[in-house]
Amino acid sequence: KKKLKISGRELLSVPIQVFDLDQLQVLEMSPERESCLRYRMEHLPQEIGRLRNLTCLYVDSNNLKKIPAEIGTLSRLERLTLSNNSLSSLPAEIGALQRLHSLHLANNSLTEFPAPLCQLRSLIFLDVSDNKIDTIPSSIRHLEKLETLLLLFNSLESLPEDVCLLRNLHTLWLGNNHLQSLPAAFGDLVNLDWGYNYCSCNFDGNPLESPPPEVCSRGPEGIRDYFSSLRRI
């Protein structure tokens, strides 16, 4: 088999024989679309590293507290979903997943932006919403292919200027943080269009003062004009 879905009403662990399926490409161990099931796995087995042909791994909505370092051996992995778990950190080895383009980490217990993520040069979609992250490292600039970045419901008080180097961003959700200002170069994110496609950039729930929300609604040109006027004062 190349695709396997494991289900169980109270799933606690995975049969070890699963990790002998070395041709497996898609492994799903998530009740995400089946509300009647409750999965309670606390640990992803180290043997996950045997599945070298895996391209998609779905383990949303479990009770994972740790991801093993062996995850870094899955060199073909393109999609990894870890939302709705109890993760407080990620292993450094996750930075070796250079084919990974979609990573879901929403609703965990992360208190900082995991540094290894900035090594994922092929990443297109990243969701770290609903954690307790208060700082975004400047090394985020290395995610040059990133198109979607979801940071809702965190504890961000500021954004580094380097976020403005992510010129491929089409969607940036920043709602429900503690942002009072945006970087001066924020208007350079021209693929975001606050005025005509509000869903592409969300600031709701922030005490924004510079620029004020009404300026943000004018899109990148309005943002640039606002900061230009400040420089002239």
Side-chain angles (χ1 to χ4, degrees):
K1 287 188 175 181
K2 293 189 176 182
K3 182 176 182 179
L4 176 64
K5 176 177 173 60
I6 297 176
S7 63
R9 190 171 296 278
E10 297 285 341
L11 187 69
L12 292 172
S13 61
V14 182
I16 199 69
Q17 293 88 344
V18 168
F19 304 107
D20 292 327
L21 303 174
D22 56 6
Q23 296 304 306
L24 202 61
Q25 294 179 358
V26 178
L27 177 57
E28 184 173 348
M29 300 181 288
S30 169
E32 193 73 3
R33 290 172 292 280
E34 301 177 62
S35 59
C36 62
L37 302 179
R38 296 181 182 274
Y39 292 7
R40 302 181 185 278
M41 282 194 303
E42 292 190 2
H43 300 286
L44 194 61
Q46 294 178 344
E47 288 80 6
I48 191 72
R50 296 181 193 170
L51 303 179
R52 301 297 178 87
N53 287 302
L54 212 59
T55 59
C56 298
L57 176 59
Y58 301 92
V59 278
D60 304 80
S61 302
N62 279 275
N63 192 29
L64 294 176
K65 293 177 168 55
K66 185 178 180 181
I67 302 299
E70 286 76 8
I71 195 81
T73 66
L74 304 180
S75 60
R76 298 189 179 186
L77 202 62
E78 298 176 358
R79 184 176 177 85
L80 176 59
T81 64
L82 295 167
S83 296
N84 305 316
N85 280 291
S86 301
L87 298 171
S88 59
S89 64
L90 295 175
E93 288 78 5
I94 206 166
L97 303 178
Q98 289 304 311
R99 292 192 185 183
L100 197 67
H101 60 68
S102 181
L103 179 58
H104 298 239
L105 288 165
N107 194 23
N108 275 283
S109 300
L110 300 173
T111 56
E112 60 183 22
F113 192 92
L117 301 191
C118 296
Q119 302 172 28
L120 302 176
R121 305 300 173 82
S122 295
L123 205 59
I124 295 174
F125 179 97
L126 175 59
D127 183 1
V128 288
S129 301
D130 208 359
N131 282 281
K132 297 178 182 177
I133 297 170
D134 59 9
T135 305
I136 303 296
S138 60
S139 53
I140 196 173
R141 66 183 181 277
H142 297 310
L143 302 181
E144 54 192 32
K145 294 184 180 180
L146 198 61
E147 294 181 1
T148 299
L149 177 57
L150 308 183
L151 291 161
L152 295 87
F153 292 97
N154 277 293
S155 302
L156 296 173
E157 295 186 356
S158 63
L159 292 176
E161 288 278 349
D162 299 81
V163 167
C164 305
L165 299 176
L166 302 177
R167 302 298 171 81
N168 285 311
L169 273 182
H170 287 265
T171 302
L172 176 60
W173 288 3
L174 297 164
N176 293 89
N177 280 281
H178 307 305
L179 298 172
Q180 295 186 28
S181 63
L182 299 177
F186 204 81
D188 292 341
L189 297 174
V190 294
N191 286 316
L192 296 176
D193 189 349
W194 308 277
Y196 300 100
N197 183 11
Y198 183 66
C199 290
S200 71
C201 198
N202 178 287
F203 297 107
D204 288 351
N206 285 285
L208 268 181
E209 297 177 0
S210 178
E214 60 270 19
V215 172
C216 293
S217 67
R218 300 173 194 162
E221 186 175 349
I223 297 278
R224 289 195 298 270
D225 289 346
Y226 173 82
F227 283 112
S228 293
S229 66
L230 291 183
R231 286 193 291 268
R232 289 195 295 269
I233 296 176

